[in-house]
Amino acid sequence: MSSAHRQLAGIALFAVLAGCVPLVTKSGVTLNFVMMALYATLIAQAWNILGGFGGQFSFGHALFFGTGAYIQAIAQLQGGINAWVALPLAVAGAALVGLFVGALTFRYGLKGSYFALVTLAFAEVFRILALSVNFTGGGVGLMVPLRESAANLQFASRAGYLWVVLAMVVLALLVTCWLRNGRFGAYLQAVRDNEDAARAVGVNPFRVKLAAIGISAAFMGAAGAFYVQVFQYIDAGIAYGPAVSVEALVAAIVGGMGTLWGPVLGAVVLHLLSDLTRNLFGELPGINMVIYGMVLVVIVIFLPRGVAGLGLSVRQLWSAKGGRHD
Amino acid sequence: MFDLSILFPSILNGLTTGAVYALIALGLTLIYGVLHIINFAHGACLMLALYAVYFLKERWGIDPYMALPIAIAGMFALGYGLQRIVINRAGHGKDENILLATLGIAIVMENLALLFFKSDTRNIDTAYSLSTVAIGPAMIAVPKLVAFAGALVVSGILFWIMGRTDLGRAIRAVAKEKEGAKLMGIDVDHVYAMSFGIGLACLGAAACFLLPAYYVNPQVGGGFVLVAFTIVVLGGMGSFVGALAGGFLVGVVESLGGLYLGESLGQIGIFAIFIGVVLFRPQGMFGARA
């Protein structure tokens, strides 16, 4: 079995296992945990497409999340549009914002810390705008009315939401699998590793990075729309605040950037961790984020390739000892 | 619209706010200029300094201006330790790693503050908190005037350290040619840590000047982070003159933005400047093109 086939088989197995959770348990706590871990996986994988494979560290992915969320809410509230129809609009809107920001920043060759800061600044501009204009509900935010029915993309049980977000995650995993094995992904990683060398062999770095930010933003927009459907509420702080941007990049980095399963691993590990700290310390405000931050620092210092990198190192060590070369 | 009696106080107000911004940005630009890293935890460190000054006043009755030496020394020690123990190890030769490490530090600091001090917004009362003086048609708060003078003094001291002391010479040598400085027997790790310490010491001073007329809560640093970055980028990364001028400019832009666009939209001007400068003139006003 080739490595691409192995990855596809892994994704299928993952989909079946996660999809069967609601059939095995009716526990709201468990379902909620799996749903939120999948949601974290989605934003981590979205960030990973641009940050991990493209090497472009965005600190403002909330920009795309918030745009998706607001379009999802506004389309239903003001436009009276069905939530299922609003979803592709939200995804497209987020992707457009991604292309716009990408066109501006990549045109001028921004990278590294500058790119991180500019994306953060864009998110802040959108946050302030969302606070100030009327159609976003200003400081009050927007409340989507509760109409529980699968036709409205609202479910009485967490199971429905779980399957919806699982579908999005599987799609993101398939795109990542394509990045790992396809021609475009090779271009993207070449641009990440050495832009000049990539250009020398005929790759257009601008176009490649632009496509990556578009795809990444689209998944972020889907996550935003999903958030609105689950919580039926959005405001400027949730939509464009730094929390979502940080969660996306931390989960991807903790798990392992530029890998297929790293973001999944990171999202699950971090959610387990914050559940654990909640159980240990009760609802003390901030304690889970303290541990979050510490884990990030420790990972950056000791495991620059993330948790997935740890597995990789062990495997390399093992194969070196066994004298195998593959 | 351009009535001078409204415009003049607004500009003056902006200049005094800008002085504190400059103070925060001076520390950030020093760290950038020497270590070539962006300290994402700058805002969170300012928040810690503000809490320190707050508790010095509330618990022990130490006036913020009297607390200057304590705040400066404390923040210096924090900066020195952070650089040596955490940031230096996180680099692995990559910008982004340091960005992430400082982001992690910021998350830890902000949430520790949330844990210990709750999310309440606190401020202090001093005899001079609300007093004002008239300058022409403008009424300027006394603490803001003190902050303005203080920012000038602190940047003067920074210039002196950089230009006239052995430490300053070592810092400039390391900033320019790290390997060469190492060969000359300069302890690069020590110079890095000193620079980081001095950078945070500026925040200690800023906190003492800021608090009499401002407030503190666990999230207060976030508002200053992008403002400080804007100033640093605007002034040309690593330039002290640029940071000072950039601070004043951003203060005035925010003040005028607030005047014409309203309080909440006023800050947009800052981010617009930031995005514009980074895209079109990344070397800043005073920086040479790299």
Side-chain angles (χ1 to χ4, degrees):
Chain A
M1 213 158 53
S2 79
S3 78
H5 286 125
R6 249 200 321 263
Q7 285 160 15
L8 285 174
I11 294 171
L13 184 68
F14 173 80
V16 170
L17 283 179
C20 283
V21 171
L23 308 179
V24 178
T25 175
K26 291 274 173 282
S27 148
V29 179
T30 311
L31 290 183
N32 201 53
F33 176 84
V34 176
M35 181 195 80
M36 288 311 286
L38 283 169
Y39 157 80
T41 303
L42 181 61
I43 61 175
Q45 198 61 269
W47 188 92
N48 186 39
I49 289 169
L50 181 67
F53 286 93
Q56 310 297 315
F57 277 45
S58 155
F59 270 48
H61 253 50
L63 185 60
F64 317 129
F65 173 87
T67 303
Y70 270 121
I71 292 177
Q72 182 77 16
I74 290 168
Q76 291 176 68
L77 282 170
Q78 259 96 313
I81 295 171
N82 177 278
W84 286 100
V85 183
L87 180 63
L89 295 179
V91 170
L96 275 180
V97 172
L99 290 176
F100 167 72
V101 171
L104 265 181
T105 53
F106 298 143
R107 173 65 71 204
Y108 291 97
L110 280 197
K111 40 187 146 184
S113 311
Y114 278 96
F115 180 73
L117 290 174
V118 163
T119 46
L120 178 62
F122 267 114
E124 276 298 291
V125 168
F126 272 60
R127 189 180 64 81
I128 295 173
L129 283 176
L131 267 178
S132 313
V133 295
N134 277 330
F135 61 89
T136 57
V140 184
L142 294 176
M143 191 104 80
V144 179
L146 191 62
R147 283 180 302 233
E148 276 170 4
S149 123
N152 291 327
L153 194 45
Q154 286 180 358
F155 306 93
S157 140
R158 285 290 190 235
Y161 290 116
L162 191 153
W163 284 320
V164 169
V165 72
L166 177 62
M168 292 173 177
V169 168
V170 167
L171 199 60
L173 285 171
L174 288 174
V175 167
T176 317
C177 183
W178 166 66
L179 284 179
R180 292 216 39 176
N181 302 293
R183 181 184 287 266
F184 174 75
Y187 288 167
L188 188 60
Q189 290 169 72
V191 168
R192 173 191 68 192
D193 295 336
N194 190 336
E195 198 167 321
D196 293 326
R199 193 179 288 114
V201 294
V203 177
N204 181 340
F206 175 72
R207 225 180 283 164
V208 168
K209 285 192 279 188
L210 198 62
I213 199 174
I215 298 169
S216 179
F219 279 112
M220 229 36 214
F226 174 75
Y227 182 95
V228 164
Q229 291 309 121
V230 174
F231 296 101
Q232 276 110 38
Y233 176 77
I234 194 76
D235 69 17
I238 300 170
Y240 292 119
V244 173
S245 306
V246 168
E247 193 182 354
L249 74 96
V250 171
I253 289 162
V254 164
M257 285 179 289
T259 65
L260 178 62
W261 295 106
V264 185
L265 220 61
V268 172
V269 165
L270 287 172
H271 266 263
L272 274 176
L273 204 68
S274 71
D275 259 33
L276 215 65
T277 49
R278 224 187 327 249
N279 284 334
L280 280 176
F281 301 102
E283 288 288 343
L284 280 176
I287 185 82
N288 56 334
M289 286 307 282
V290 171
I291 292 174
Y292 221 79
M294 283 178 175
V295 168
L296 176 60
V297 174
V298 167
I299 296 266
V300 173
I301 294 178
F302 296 106
L303 287 177
R305 282 188 299 170
V307 177
L310 182 70
L312 210 64
S313 311
V314 171
R315 219 179 323 159
Q316 274 165 355
L317 210 67
W318 182 75
S319 62
K321 272 193 184 142
R324 288 190 330 141
H325 299 283
D326 53 4
Chain B
M1 191 76 178
F2 296 104
D3 186 355
L4 214 63
S5 66
I6 302 174
L7 211 53
F8 179 70
S10 184
I11 289 176
L12 214 57
N13 217 354
L15 284 177
T16 50
T17 312
V20 180
Y21 285 167
L23 211 48
I24 299 165
L26 278 171
L28 194 62
T29 208
L30 172 69
I31 293 169
Y32 182 85
V34 181
L35 285 76
H36 305 292
I37 62 165
I38 286 177
N39 174 25
F40 223 78
H42 213 63
C45 292
L46 175 68
M47 178 268 303
L48 279 193
L50 283 166
Y51 269 112
V53 177
Y54 171 85
F55 282 114
L56 284 173
K57 170 77 170 93
E58 291 299 303
R59 294 273 162 85
W60 292 289
I62 301 173
D63 184 88
Y65 298 145
M66 296 297 118
L68 263 168
I70 310 172
I72 289 174
M75 291 306 287
F76 173 81
L78 176 72
Y80 194 95
L82 268 185
Q83 164 62 22
R84 273 243 128 135
I85 298 163
V86 183
I87 297 169
N88 209 17
R89 294 186 192 181
H92 302 295
K94 271 190 174 162
D95 257 20
E96 292 91 348
N97 281 338
I98 296 188
L99 212 61
L100 292 173
T102 53
L103 171 72
I105 292 169
I107 295 174
V108 172
M109 283 180 177
E110 274 171 18
N111 288 286
L112 279 179
L114 190 66
L115 193 59
F116 287 116
F117 310 136
K118 307 286 173 275
S119 57
D120 311 346
T121 293
R122 306 160 191 243
N123 50 10
I124 56 169
D125 267 323
T126 57
Y128 48 82
S129 278
L130 296 173
S131 47
T132 55
V133 287
I135 300 175
M139 298 296 286
I140 297 294
V142 170
K144 287 198 149 187
L145 270 186
V146 176
F148 184 80
L152 292 181
V153 171
V154 170
S155 45
I157 294 173
L158 270 185
F159 280 121
W160 175 75
I161 292 178
M162 293 301 281
R164 294 262 178 261
T165 65
D166 283 344
L167 174 65
R169 274 185 276 275
I171 288 176
R172 279 184 291 145
V174 170
K176 207 161 216 165
E177 187 53 71
K178 185 178 127 190
E179 293 305 320
K182 209 181 264 171
L183 291 175
M184 291 294 112
I186 294 175
D187 181 350
V188 172
D189 285 344
H190 173 70
V191 169
Y192 275 1
M194 287 299 282
S195 307
F196 210 89
I198 296 172
L200 292 206
C202 291
L203 292 180
C208 294
F209 291 126
L210 203 54
L211 199 59
Y214 208 69
Y215 60 84
V216 57
N217 62 36
Q219 283 88 38
V220 74
F224 285 101
V225 173
L226 266 174
V227 174
F229 283 137
T230 307
I231 294 165
V232 167
V233 170
L234 194 62
M237 292 268 194
S239 158
F240 289 133
V241 183
L244 208 55
F248 288 136
L249 186 66
V250 164
V252 171
V253 164
E254 187 187 27
S255 181
L256 291 182
L259 184 64
Y260 290 115
L261 298 173
E263 204 60 50
S264 66
L265 267 176
Q267 279 228 320
I268 271 200
I270 299 178
F271 304 126
I273 290 182
F274 178 79
I275 294 169
V277 170
V278 169
L279 291 183
F280 301 111
R281 197 177 157 77
Q283 74 272 33
M285 294 187 299
F286 294 85
R289 194 172 262 288

